[in-house]
Amino acid sequence: MRDSAVNDTSIWSRGMMAVTGAQFLSAFGDNALLFATLAVLKQQFYPDWSQPVLQMVFVGAYILFAPFVGQVADSFAKGRVMMFANCLKLIGAAVICFGLNPFVGYTLVGIGAATYSPAKYGILGELTTGDRLVKANGLMESSTIAAILLGSMAGGVLADWHIVAALGVCVLVYAGAVVANMFIPKLAPARPGQSWRFTPMTRSFFNACRTLWQNGETRFSLVGTSLFWGAGVTLRFLLVLWVPVALGITDNATPTYLNAMVAVGIVVGAGAAAKLVTLKTVARCMPAGILIGVGVLFFAMQHALLPSYMLLVLIGILGGFFVVPLNALLQERGKHSVGAGNAIAVQNLGENTAMLLMLGLYSLAVKTGASIVGIGIGFGAVFALAITGLWVWQIRQK
């Protein structure tokens, strides 16, 4: 039974279904926990600028552990690594639920997420091959975004009702993810027997960084996905403060509904990318990246719910179409050069460094009293210009 699951490379194999289910629950918990923890910060009267700082301690874990988690993912069965990572997330959520420091608990969740990411994406290249990998990424992203949609809404709605209940649900969902991980087939480690001494591990990681950066295709993917996720996490926090300013609504739920609209769009965009883009035609995603920035620029100027919802769905569609092919490209090329786990760890370093920088700038802008609408307009314009520059740079490299 286990062998047939391992040898079946269909995106509907038992192994892929187990990975997708575990990822859904884990991502649901991540997003519900974020909005529940933001509600804790509001309840305890933390300043507005501390909200992006909460995410900064999360992404800081990705950066700090980047040299090590790729080797962990490639040295052990990836399904078991995912299970261990979800246990860390469960502990972090429990810390917040029991009234301890939310920044400490969220840091533990960040360490779990940093460990989880190379394994969850790296295992796709072991369960599927070739152009099926793009479809597998589409399925993974669709599952993730559905979890973002439902988890964000659940976190906000439950937090408006009872914050401790919202945190308790997060703990239970992470426990469900741990159970789901047990059904992932135990695949052979991709690169067993590597040194666990600090210097060789860090040297191996930075060699992987150099290898991927020197390749034009993987460099293109690394920069594109870093810009996308840095912008995405900043937009999420921008929405939290934009809603009361632009719409005059002060509850916890409305920002989660708006985030959910982006999630709905990404599901559609990921599906379209799986059908319309292959590893040979990845450049087709670049116009969508430019239009993301344009969409954010127009969104920031809205003062009514309906056009805001419509623009965020469109931004999500463009985002899904943009990022899914870039992820697949990196996984395929990285698997044959530095190992899938190491490739995703390098990607995580780039993405989370971009998040840290963008969140830091956003937090600084909020602390200095800059207009939230002005921040949104400037953010959209800069993102569109950055993706345009990346596209031109890639064309010139060929």
Side-chain angles (χ1 to χ4, degrees), residues 108-190:
L108 284 174
V109 176
I111 295 171
T115 307
Y116 186 79
S117 184
K120 78 174 182 182
Y121 281 113
I123 200 171
L124 297 183
E126 297 177 3
L127 293 173
T128 61
T129 57
D131 282 337
R132 279 189 294 248
L133 187 56
V134 177
K135 293 181 172 60
N137 269 273
L139 181 62
M140 175 71 84
E141 292 297 335
S142 297
S143 170
T144 302
I145 300 309
I148 292 173
L149 167 65
L150 297 173
S152 298
M153 292 173 63
V157 172
L158 288 171
D160 277 337
W161 172 60
H162 198 289
I163 292 177
V164 175
L167 294 169
V169 167
C170 296
V171 172
L172 291 175
V173 169
Y174 283 136
V178 171
V179 173
N181 287 138
M182 296 178 182
F183 292 91
I184 298 173
K186 188 175 181 180
L187 303 169

Side-chain angles (χ1 to χ4, degrees), residues 39 41 45 133 198 203 210 242 282 316 375 384 395:
L41 297 187
F45 302 105
L133 187 56
F198 180 81
R203 184 186 299 119
R210 188 180 305 109
W242 177 87
V282 169
I375 292 172
I395 291 171

